[in-house]
């Protein structure tokens, strides 16, 4: 699989980490999630063990905030697909802003 980082992603992660507790949450398998974490965060500064994959999900083909530590009311979801987080539409940032 070929993955290309968006311009300024590392700057975004640095600035966002000062304000938020961040997770990687993917519907991909655990091996994919770990490789993406290494790509985005090679020094393991931003995510640590906060990498969630499809094997951690409590609903099939659906992301849920129930596997994320913290209060759902303060969670923000940045995702390019709306349907996988349909249970938390109020927490979604419109994909056109990503």
């Amino acid at each position: 699989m070929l993955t290309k980082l968006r311009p300024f992603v590392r700057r975004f992660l640095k600035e966002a980490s000062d304000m938020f507790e961040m997770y990687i949450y993917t519907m991909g398998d655990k091996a994919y999630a770990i490789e993406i974490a290494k790509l985005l965060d090679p020094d393991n500064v931003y995510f640590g063990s906060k990498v969630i994959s499809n094997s951690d999900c409590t609903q099939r083909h659906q992301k849920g905030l129930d596997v994320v530590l913290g209060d759902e009311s303060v969670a923000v979801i940045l995702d390019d697909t709306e349907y996988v987080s349909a249970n938390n539409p109020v927490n979604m940032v419109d994909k056109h802003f990503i």
Side-chain angles (χ1 to χ4, degrees):
M1 178 174 290
L2 177 65
T3 303
K4 182 178 177 182
L5 296 179
R6 291 178 181 250
F8 307 107
V9 69
R10 296 214 198 294
R11 180 176 174 189
F12 170 81
L13 291 173
K14 181 180 181 328
E15 291 181 19
S17 72
D18 291 337
M19 298 179 280
F20 304 103
E21 180 176 351
M22 300 187 304
Y23 291 76
I24 291 178
Y25 196 155
T26 179
M27 293 305 291
D29 63 21
K30 187 60 93 174
Y32 169 78
I34 290 168
E35 289 304 314
I36 291 300
K38 287 179 191 175
L39 179 65
L40 287 171
D41 187 13
D43 297 324
N44 204 25
V45 174
Y46 307 122
F47 302 108
S49 63
K50 296 177 289 189
V51 178
I52 302 168
S53 68
N54 61 4
S55 62
D56 302 307
C57 295
T58 57
Q59 299 175 33
R60 188 176 165 101
H61 305 299
Q62 192 75 38
K63 291 180 184 175
L65 293 176
D66 58 332
V67 296
V68 176
L69 298 176
D71 189 344
E72 287 184 21
S73 67
V74 295
V76 176
I77 302 169
L78 301 174
D79 203 313
D80 61 348
T81 53
E82 297 168 14
Y83 74 90
V84 296
S85 296
N87 291 338
N88 305 97
V90 93
N91 302 87
M92 285 287 297
V93 171
D94 188 300
K95 69 180 180 180
H96 297 101
F97 291 109
I98 300 176

